[in-house]
């Protein structure tokens, strides 16, 4: 399944969204850390499910992002980094709004200098595999919620919320 992102979404602070919409939103309970220079970001969800292998996501961020947020389900692994400054830099250049990584990143100082939202569980210097294993644009469940391609995600220092597609 391939999802074409809609037009860019104006980010709204997650606390404001939750105050207005409450339980109509899906609240991700995973306590991601902020790494990118853009601390408030939002966009249509695209997904990659890839365990300790970043070949698929590297290919995806090198396509037009259209303001989407790429949610990467690395199974929570902190053994290898799914993204670093090169992949995140490609995402920024190609118009992605942000990256949410259920796993680790590397090059954290450089990530902070990018105009891109980047949330992840932590850091590790080890590179990931490059076999291309995984799937693109499939529902992924992280932090008690399912991110579905086409839903809208808003993320900031307070958390991550999903506005389900109507």
């Amino acid at each position: 399944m391939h999802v074409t992102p809609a037009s860019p979404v104006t980010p709204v602070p997650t606390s404001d969204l939750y105050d207005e919409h409450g339980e109509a939103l899906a609240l991700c309970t995973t306590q991601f850390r902020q790494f990118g220079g853009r601390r408030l970001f939002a966009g249509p969800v695209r997904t990659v499910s890839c365990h300790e292998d970043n070949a698929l996501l590297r290919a995806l961020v090198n396509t037009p992002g259209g303001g989407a947020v790429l949610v990467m389900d690395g199974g929570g692994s902190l053994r290898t980094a799914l993204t670093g400054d090169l992949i995140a830099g490609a995402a920024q250049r190609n118009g992605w709004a942000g990256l949410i990584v259920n796993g680790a990143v590397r090059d954290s100082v450089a990530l902070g200098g990018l105009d891109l939202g980047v949330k992840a569980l932590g850091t590790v210097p080890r590179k990931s595999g490059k076999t291309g294993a995984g799937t693109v644009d499939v529902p992924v469940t992280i932090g008690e919620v399912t991110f579905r391609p086409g839903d809208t995600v808003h993320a900031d220092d307070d958390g991550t919320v999903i506005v389900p597609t109507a």
Side-chain angles (χ1 to χ4, degrees), residues 130-156:
K130 312 281 188 252
T131 67
T135 53
V136 175
D137 286 329
V138 296
V140 296
T141 301
I142 303 167
E144 300 178 16
V145 298
T146 300
F147 292 83
R148 290 180 177 80
D151 286 351
T152 301
V153 63
H154 290 260
D156 63 14

Side-chain angles (χ1 to χ4, degrees), residues 103-121:
V105 297
R106 56 187 259 150
D107 307 312
S108 61
V109 172
L111 293 176
L114 296 176
D115 183 22
L116 182 73
V118 180
K119 295 183 86 154
L121 298 178

Side-chain angles (χ1 to χ4, degrees), residues 48-57 71-83 101-104 121 126-136 140:
V48 174
S49 178
C50 53
H51 183 74
E52 298 181 5
D53 190 305
N54 69 5
L56 278 178
L57 72 95
V71 179
M72 297 170 239
D73 185 8
S77 174
L78 298 174
R79 289 179 23 87
T80 66
L82 287 177
T83 190
V101 185
N102 186 27
L121 298 178
R126 181 186 294 134
K127 292 181 179 182
S128 70
K130 312 281 188 252
T131 67
T135 53
V136 175
V140 296

Side-chain angles (χ1 to χ4, degrees), residues 85-112:
D85 62 336
L86 298 178
I87 289 175
Q92 177 187 305
R93 285 189 303 280
N94 287 300
W96 294 82
L99 309 172
I100 297 175
V101 185
N102 186 27
V105 297
R106 56 187 259 150
D107 307 312
S108 61
V109 172
L111 293 176

